[in-house]
Amino acid sequence: MGDAVARLLTEVDSMAMITTVQQHILQQQQELLKSTGREASGTFSWLLSGITLATKMIEAKIRSAGLSDVLGAVGVENVQGEQQQKLDVYANQAMLHCLGLRDSVAALVSEEDEEPVTFNRDAETGKYILVFDPLDGSSNIDVNVNVGTIFSVLRRMPAELGTLEESILQPGFRQVAAGYVVYGPSTVLVYTTGNGVHGFTLDPKIGAFVLSNERMQMPEQGIYYSVNEANAAGWPEGYRSYVTMLREGGLGKTYSSRYIGSLVADFHRTLLKGGVFLYPPTEKQSKGKLRLLYEANPLAFIAEQGGGVATNGAERILEIRPTGIHQRTPFCVGGRREMEALQSALTGVLTA
Ligand code: F6P
């Protein structure tokens, strides 16, 4: 099967045709086979096809949101104590529906559900855990501003090494894949399996995510900082002096500010244009606001694969040992230059 796929992919290349996300994953698996001799079973690409299907269903619903009765709140709070929007519920159901039937899934962990949804599959078959935020930034839906889906894939540990719950709480450096979809003027999917960051744009004419940015790299230094400055009075002093320093040209550029309030969209800009995104701890939320498992971890994995840095202000996000599935963390992510300066500011030595 390996040779046949390789021949087909070469033919596709020679005709200068598109590369879809599924083809890209197959190509990556071919590379893995060449470099390590490890044959991929195909279950992983089948799993990712469940994610792309669900996100296409979500995107279709969002595109026509103003025309159907899907805007607004359901009238109940979710596990986060936030008003659940109708589209949150739909997006969560789409993910559960498209992924629950995949044999390789051991557990689905969603921002919208208090407990993981687990499947009674033996560890050999159900070997992946999917953690996701089905619709991030959903307070922006009613005003037609970008929202997104974030996902992280973990491999289940063999039974002798830990329970399914312990597998869910593995640190971020153990992720086998992570990605997000941003529903903006166009719909873009970005993913990594630890071999670079790749971006795809949904071509509505053919209904497929088509490769548009291969091996994405975060610029070493950008010109934007992104933070909810309304919280500044409650931040630790280091963050306040850092943002002032960026504004006043301390890193050789006068930074401008951009804040959408949808993490996926703010992160996507930071990946493409560089700069820094911050959600610091505040007096009211001393552990920060964002979630470790399905917000910070996947985006930190992507940032690092793109040459950037992600910390909670003190340690690398990917090394934090999770203690709960909805655990919060401060989240700072950006280009090398800005992140080095942040580290200095937080340890009391402001660099210029
Ligand atoms: O976690 C949900 C979320 O909407 C993120 O997408 C976004 O970055 C953040 O919250 C915005 O929070 P705030 O409104 O406090 O700035």
Side-chain angles (χ1 to χ4, degrees):
M1 121 130 188
D3 282 355
V5 172
R7 254 199 319 279
L8 188 67
L9 292 174
T10 317
E11 277 166 27
V12 166
D13 274 358
S14 68
M15 288 189 279
M17 288 188 82
I18 57 165
T19 303
T20 67
V21 65
Q22 306 303 338
Q23 288 167 336
H24 197 265
I25 291 163
L26 285 175
Q27 280 169 357
Q28 295 243 316
Q29 289 176 342
Q30 289 297 315
E31 279 174 29
L32 182 80
L33 180 64
K34 266 191 231 142
S35 61
T36 66
R38 279 200 351 248
E39 178 111 41
S41 65
T43 44
F44 183 65
S45 49
W46 178 231
L47 177 72
L48 283 197
S49 80
I51 300 176
T52 55
L53 176 60
T55 56
K56 282 190 264 182
M57 288 169 65
I58 299 168
E59 108 91 27
K61 205 53 137 190
I62 290 171
R63 291 277 169 245
S64 61
L67 304 172
S68 52
D69 184 30
V70 289
L71 290 179
V74 186
V76 289
E77 287 188 348
N78 67 8
V79 46
Q80 323 291 344
E82 293 158 358
Q83 274 293 320
Q84 227 180 0
Q85 305 293 306
K86 290 181 194 164
L87 272 169
D88 282 327
V89 175
Y90 178 82
N92 194 37
Q93 281 171 358
M95 293 292 278
L96 297 176
H97 173 76
C98 294
L99 289 156
L101 289 176
R102 301 285 198 266
D103 265 2
S104 55
V105 174
L108 296 172
V109 183
S110 167
E111 192 223 9
E112 297 297 330
D113 297 318
E114 192 150 6
E115 298 294 335
V117 177
T118 56
F119 300 90
N120 195 13
R121 294 172 181 143
D122 62 71
E124 276 292 290
T125 315
K127 54 184 175 188
Y128 292 113
I129 294 157
L130 227 116
V131 187
F132 54 90
D133 183 350
L135 203 57
D136 180 71
S138 53
S139 66
N140 273 325
I141 293 171
D142 287 359
V143 289
N144 200 20
V145 170
N146 301 3
V147 288
T149 298
I150 313 177
F151 62 89
S152 154
V153 184
L154 292 160
R155 202 186 303 276
R156 180 184 191 170
M157 296 190 286
E160 60 280 11
L161 293 185
T163 60
L164 181 54
E165 195 191 27
E166 284 163 342
S167 291
I168 293 171
L169 296 179
Q170 290 177 89
F173 68 81
R174 290 255 166 79
Q175 293 171 101
V176 293
Y180 60 83
V181 174
V182 53
Y183 310 102
S186 53
T187 300
V188 169
L189 180 146
V190 172
Y191 90 97
T192 183
T193 52
N195 183 20
V197 179
H198 314 287
F200 300 78
T201 303
L202 183 65
D203 182 342
K205 292 195 293 297
I206 57 173
F209 283 104
V210 174
L211 182 61
S212 46
N213 304 68
E214 196 158 32
R215 302 216 167 268
M216 298 165 85
Q217 281 288 313
M218 195 181 278
E220 202 164 315
Q221 185 175 7
I223 52 164
Y224 298 127
Y225 69 85
S226 184
V227 65
N228 185 344
E229 269 181 304
N231 296 332
W235 300 339
E237 171 51 30
Y239 286 96
R240 279 200 298 270
S241 37
Y242 174 69
V243 168
T244 306
M245 182 274 291
L246 292 177
R247 224 176 12 234
E248 292 179 352
L251 289 188
K253 296 177 177 184
T254 312
Y255 279 66
S256 189
S257 116
R258 292 281 186 281
Y259 188 72
I260 299 167
S262 279
L263 178 60
V264 177
D266 281 315
F267 177 83
H268 190 60
R269 183 198 53 251
T270 308
L271 177 64
L272 292 173
K273 301 282 180 197
V276 64
F277 171 89
L278 307 170
Y279 208 111
T282 62
E283 261 161 29
K284 282 196 205 125
Q285 292 183 298
S286 61
K287 295 196 164 88
K289 175 181 183 190
L290 301 178
R291 307 295 169 154
L292 177 61
L293 259 60
Y294 41 80
E295 293 184 314
N297 267 346
L299 299 184
F301 187 20
I302 293 169
E304 288 196 3
Q305 282 292 312
V309 177
T311 73
N312 64 359
E315 66 174 315
R316 189 176 163 226
I317 289 287
L318 297 184
E319 273 168 29
I320 300 172
R321 305 235 154 224
T323 51
I325 62 173
H326 297 294
Q327 170 176 347
R328 296 177 194 270
T329 178
F331 186 45
C332 312
V333 62
R336 294 214 156 262
R337 185 79 180 96
E338 287 90 357
M339 289 301 289
E340 270 164 27
L342 176 67
Q343 215 39 51
S344 307
L346 297 181
T347 47
V349 204
L350 262 181
T351 52

